Amino acid sequence: TIFVTMLIPDISVDTLLNPIEGCGLFSAEQVEFYILNTGTDTLHASDSVFVSYQLNVDPLVYDTLFVGSVVVPGDSILFPSSGPVDAITPGTYQFLVDISYSKDLVPGNNHLDQSIEAYGTPTVSLGADSLVNTRMHTLDAGSGFISYLWQDGSANQLFVVEFENQS
């Protein structure tokens, strides 16, 4: 039996690593995403991938990823941009990425269109200081929130503090 593997060069935009949605994005966010070798051929250290990306209606940014080492099929390579994008204002950002590789035989997967939500920096109010002189006290995070997370990993609105089991 003889098995023949056709060598098909193909890359795709895999995962947007940064910026991602969250609180407190900055005016100089580094753009980072993974480019996946989805083909059956290998990318070599001498290969180049041309990249363009855009955040909302900002001008297109053109960049080049110089492949620094062999990228076998199924493996990926991180693209770190040479310049930042501004995502400091709360709101929804539309992020577009296009990549181009001269040997790519399947260019239909070379595009990423992703929305990123910047929530802004939250305002936190813990209220007035209080001194509690009991062995057990219940903290209430307040109602109406989507989720809760305490330092011990629990996710309830209420958290019971016990003198013997402080954490």
Side-chain angles (χ1 to χ4, degrees):
T1 304
I2 297 175
F3 292 99
V4 176
T5 301
M6 291 184 61
L7 295 179
I8 300 173
D10 181 33
I11 61 170
S12 65
V13 181
D14 185 34
T15 305
L16 182 63
L17 189 62
N18 196 55
I20 57 171
E21 60 183 44
C23 302
L25 295 178
F26 300 101
S27 61
E29 287 288 333
Q30 180 77 24
V31 176
E32 295 177 311
F33 56 87
Y34 283 103
I35 296 173
L36 178 65
N37 182 354
T38 49
T40 56
D41 201 357
T42 300
L43 276 75
H44 299 280
S46 60
D47 290 334
S48 298
V49 177
F50 299 102
V51 176
S52 66
Y53 58 90
Q54 182 178 34
L55 192 64
N56 287 346
V57 295
D58 292 346
L60 269 171
V61 176
Y62 297 95
D63 210 335
T64 303
L65 172 66
F66 298 102
V67 178
S69 60
V70 171
V71 182
V72 297
D75 204 357
S76 60
I77 187 168
L78 179 64
F79 169 79
S81 66
S82 60
V85 294
D86 183 354
I88 196 166
T89 305
T92 302
Y93 291 89
Q94 196 63 34
F95 194 76
L96 304 173
V97 176
D98 282 296
I99 58 175
S100 176
Y101 174 52
S102 63
K103 301 172 188 173
D104 196 346
L105 296 180
V106 188
N109 56 3
N110 293 1
H111 181 76
L112 174 73
D113 184 347
Q114 184 173 334
S115 294
I116 302 164
E117 189 71 30
Y119 303 111
T121 305
T123 303
V124 177
S125 173
L126 300 177
D129 289 346
S130 61
L131 179 62
V132 178
N133 195 11
T134 61
R135 289 194 149 320
M136 186 179 297
H137 184 73
T138 301
L139 300 174
D140 186 345
S143 62
F145 297 100
I146 295 171
S147 64
Y148 303 88
L149 181 61
W150 295 95
Q151 80 284 353
D152 69 344
S154 62
N156 300 315
Q157 177 183 333
L158 303 176
F159 180 77
V160 178
V161 179
E162 298 178 38
F163 178 74
E164 287 82 15
N165 299 318
Q166 292 185 24
S167 57

